Amino acid sequence: MSFLPKSPWLVHYDASSCNGCDIEVLACLTPIYDVERFGVLNIGNPKHADIFVVTGSVNEQNKTVVKNIYDQMAEPKVVVAVGACASSGGIFRECYNVSGGVDTVIPVDVYVPGCAARPEAIIDGVVQGLGVLEAKYQEKGKAAS
Amino acid sequence: MGERTIIPFGPQHPVLPEPLHLDLVLEDEKVVGAVPSIGFVHRGLEKLVEKRDFQEMAFVIERICGICSFIHGQGYVQTIEAIMNVEIPDRARYLRSFWGELSRVHSHLLWAGLMADAFGFESLFMHCWRVREKVLDIFEETTGGRVIHSVCKIGGLWKNVDNDTLQRIGAVLREVAKEIQPLADVFRRDYTVQKRCVGLGLLTKEEAFQLGAVGPMLRASGVAMDARKLGYAAYGELEFEPVTETGGDCQARTLVRIGEIYQSLDLIRQCIEKMPDGEVAVPVKGNPQGEFLSRLEQPRGEAIYYGKGDGTKYLDRFRVRTPTFANLIPLLHVLPGCDLADVPLLALTIDPCISCTER
Ligand code: SF4
């Protein structure tokens, strides 16, 4: 992809991560990686977002929060699961209060591996998410503007 | 007096990347009460000791929190080493202090950035995190990981750092200290920062002590308590005094943390200078039997680790009391009476780490 068809805005939620992946997501926004120069913006309002970045696994308590944020986002939307925890439960998958990866609650489009996922990997995941977003637009019969 | 309103704060809130949830009871713009609810990040990893053997647990415990990951790992192995009567080599002790202090520098810079973000000083946030990346580069070079390091093992360390690298790191950190200087000046003297921080969230010396505050929260109220003074790892042989302030407000807490960044850089310098030669690990035989409680100073304050082994591969019980857990009570004490707009600032002033608290 030589250009971005869209400036993707993302909303980030920390399900039950250890903070490792979280601060790497934040690190993507800061000067060394600086995804804002590509038009990627981290915002708090789910209704403004195209991409939902989730770190950490889900449990009974935060299941509803994850689902809630996902439901509030406008279609089409893409979910990027960042880190081993979000993808499968990771190192905590056998804990009594972990019910698994994010895909047990909402559909996930891109999985970013790593524990903790590196900022480069996270950025790559978001860029791949953009491809998915583009495809979803086309499916709806309208090109991304 | 206005009507009472309840405003939910979090769990998904732009100011905190972590899910802290507070129900704020408001009268007009004034907060009159705050009810926290937790459990969003609870994983129950202490119970994993029944499924992972005591060697593997070091990696799990490190993932209690990705910010102070190294010190969590250190706390765990230190507890088990005490149970098993393992004496670790001197170089390992010094390297543990070295990485521990690096963690503190990166954690405090991270906090300073988030704090700046909370009062709307975006460029300061970016600069703090820019400098922090240099510290992460050192971590990556010496341990292989940026935030999760996995270098502590029972009996010492998995990795050694050669002396040339240490010298070079010393030079890099001198540069880092210079780069922090202008940022520290902004936190110390800038008009807008003062406006937001001075006098906010007052905690007197007695209150801080009685409510069980720990770390910078306690030291900013004038109590010189620092678990590093117990002399674990190499701290017994390094020279330092706890950084204290007497203001007890947000500004004092900021100053303590800024002071600690410099203190940590100085401790790292001492570690590099005094670094003994030799191995970094000793072989460990047998299984842990007995119990031990150890105390460590995390960037956020004192953490307590308790372990109990019954002579098998699997521990009987392992428990952690993390600093944020202790600091939540003082936070609830300072919230009533503040403006709604100051809540994010007050929440950040304790340097909350929710994933530590809930494990
Ligand atoms: S994948 Fe690893 S670093 Fe990321 S949240 Fe999970 S345990 Fe932490």
Side-chain angles (χ1 to χ4, degrees):
Chain A
M1 199 189 295
S2 57
F3 67 96
L4 295 183
K6 189 173 168 55
S7 295
W9 286 12
L10 34 105
V11 56
H12 165 225
Y13 181 67
D14 165 5
S16 61
S17 91
C18 78
N19 264 349
C21 289
D22 266 329
I23 53 175
E24 293 295 55
V25 168
L26 268 187
C28 295
L29 304 169
T30 53
I32 304 287
Y33 299 99
D34 194 14
V35 289
E36 243 179 79
R37 68 198 146 126
F38 305 126
V40 181
L41 210 58
N42 183 18
I43 43 155
N45 189 335
K47 297 214 191 235
H48 296 177
D50 308 295
I51 299 183
F52 185 17
V53 176
V54 202
T55 51
S57 49
V58 292
N59 58 33
E60 289 303 320
Q61 172 101 334
N62 64 29
K63 225 175 214 169
T64 45
V65 185
V66 171
K67 204 150 178 350
N68 205 336
I69 298 176
Y70 179 77
D71 288 343
Q72 285 186 52
M73 290 170 66
E75 291 280 356
K77 53 195 166 189
V78 168
V79 177
V80 179
V82 170
C85 285
S87 305
S88 66
I91 193 166
F92 304 124
R93 69 189 174 284
E94 285 172 41
C95 288
Y96 62 83
N97 200 35
V98 168
S99 41
V102 177
D103 53 6
T104 55
V105 188
I106 54 174
V108 173
D109 299 290
V110 182
Y111 297 88
V112 178
C115 177
R118 293 186 56 89
E120 289 92 341
I122 298 173
I123 296 172
D124 189 46
V126 170
V127 171
Q128 294 203 13
L130 271 182
V132 178
L133 192 66
E134 179 79 352
K136 285 191 181 173
Y137 264 113
Q138 251 142 35
E139 224 169 79
K140 290 188 100 190
K142 96 176 188 236
S145 47
Chain B
M1 198 212 280
E3 240 174 74
R4 292 206 161 186
T5 334
I6 295 183
I7 298 211
F9 177 90
Q12 188 248 347
H13 191 280
V15 70
L16 260 188
E18 283 189 282
L20 167 68
H21 181 88
L22 294 170
D23 278 321
L24 300 169
V25 186
L26 296 185
E27 257 167 30
D28 291 338
E29 282 289 301
K30 284 265 179 269
V31 177
V32 292
V35 186
S37 69
I38 53 174
F40 294 97
V41 213
H42 179 60
R43 288 149 285 174
L45 57 82
E46 284 162 350
K47 205 161 166 62
L48 268 191
V49 290
E50 292 168 9
K51 293 182 184 149
R52 304 263 189 276
D53 70 36
F54 72 97
Q55 299 272 13
E56 291 170 340
M57 260 323 265
F59 305 122
V60 177
I61 295 298
E62 204 173 28
R63 285 164 174 83
I64 287 179
C65 166
I67 305 177
C68 23
S69 52
F70 177 80
I71 307 186
H72 275 307
Q74 185 186 358
Y76 173 78
V77 296
Q78 203 169 295
T79 311
I80 305 300
E81 280 159 5
I83 295 176
M84 300 177 77
N85 282 324
V86 179
E87 192 68 44
I88 66 164
D90 285 344
R91 194 176 174 88
R93 282 195 299 118
Y94 271 80
L95 278 173
R96 280 186 190 175
S97 284
F98 166 79
W99 276 315
E101 291 312 308
L102 267 183
S103 301
R104 201 177 313 276
V105 175
H106 116 77
S107 172
H108 281 349
L109 280 172
L110 175 136
W111 172 85
L114 290 179
M115 185 73 174
D117 193 37
F119 52 65
F121 207 148
E122 190 85 4
S123 54
L124 189 56
F125 162 55
M126 291 292 176
H127 280 294
C128 289
W129 280 58
R130 176 179 57 79
V131 179
R132 175 179 163 266
E133 286 288 334
K134 304 210 163 146
V135 181
L136 293 189
D137 285 346
I138 297 176
F139 266 126
E140 193 173 357
E141 180 181 353
T142 52
T143 69
R146 279 164 54 88
V147 291
I148 301 285
H149 317 300
S150 303
V151 278
C152 272
K153 74 166 171 183
I154 293 159
L157 299 167
W158 289 107
K159 289 200 177 86
N160 196 351
V161 186
D162 61 53
N163 286 333
D164 291 342
T165 313
L166 283 176
Q167 293 302 335
R168 196 158 38 74
I169 289 170
V172 173
L173 288 175
R174 279 194 290 281
E175 288 304 309
V176 168
K178 276 190 210 140
E179 287 194 45
I180 293 173
Q181 192 60 44
L183 306 178
D185 284 345
V186 175
F187 278 108
R188 285 186 183 130
R189 286 198 278 277
D190 189 82
Y191 175 76
T192 42
V193 178
Q194 305 260 319
K195 272 278 172 215
R196 289 301 301 272
C197 294
V198 173
L200 183 69
L202 264 183
L203 202 63
T204 63
K205 190 170 177 176
E206 288 70 36
E207 282 171 343
F209 190 75
Q210 275 167 9
L211 294 171
V214 291
M217 189 86 176
L218 181 64
R219 292 194 282 276
S221 295
V223 185
M225 209 140 96
D226 190 324
R228 283 176 291 175
K229 277 283 170 201
L230 295 173
Y232 63 88
Y235 292 113
E237 293 138 50
L238 303 175
E239 284 159 32
F240 69 103
E241 282 307 318
V243 180
T244 54
E245 286 286 334
T246 48
D249 56 0
C250 279
Q251 178 72 3
R253 294 191 268 276
T254 310
L255 294 181
V256 166
R257 292 196 177 99
I258 300 280
E260 286 188 359
I261 294 180
Y262 286 110
Q263 182 190 50
S264 295
L265 289 172
D266 184 59
L267 283 170
I268 296 171
R269 182 189 56 79
Q270 292 184 36
C271 282
I272 295 177
E273 267 171 21
K274 297 186 184 167
M275 187 68 68
D277 288 323
E279 289 299 306
V280 292
V282 289
V284 175
K285 286 196 207 72
N287 294 321
Q289 176 145 33
E291 56 183 344
F292 194 77
L293 185 136
S294 69
R295 297 160 62 198
L296 251 75
E297 188 73 15
Q298 289 272 19
R300 288 161 182 72
E302 183 179 324
I304 296 172
Y305 302 80
Y306 168 78
K308 181 168 172 224
D310 55 3
T312 63
K313 253 179 11 166
Y314 301 97
L315 292 183
D316 217 20
R317 183 85 172 86
F318 187 73
R319 175 144 175 74
V320 192
R321 201 291 317 267
T322 59
T324 305
F325 187 73
N327 277 337
L328 273 180
I329 317 266
L331 171 68
L332 296 181
H333 180 77
V334 296
L335 275 176
C338 77
D339 290 334
L340 178 60
D342 283 331
V343 173
L345 218 63
L346 283 171
L348 265 172
T349 181
I350 68 164
D351 198 356
C353 177
I354 308 302
S355 62
C356 276
T357 315
E358 304 188 348
R359 303 178 297 282

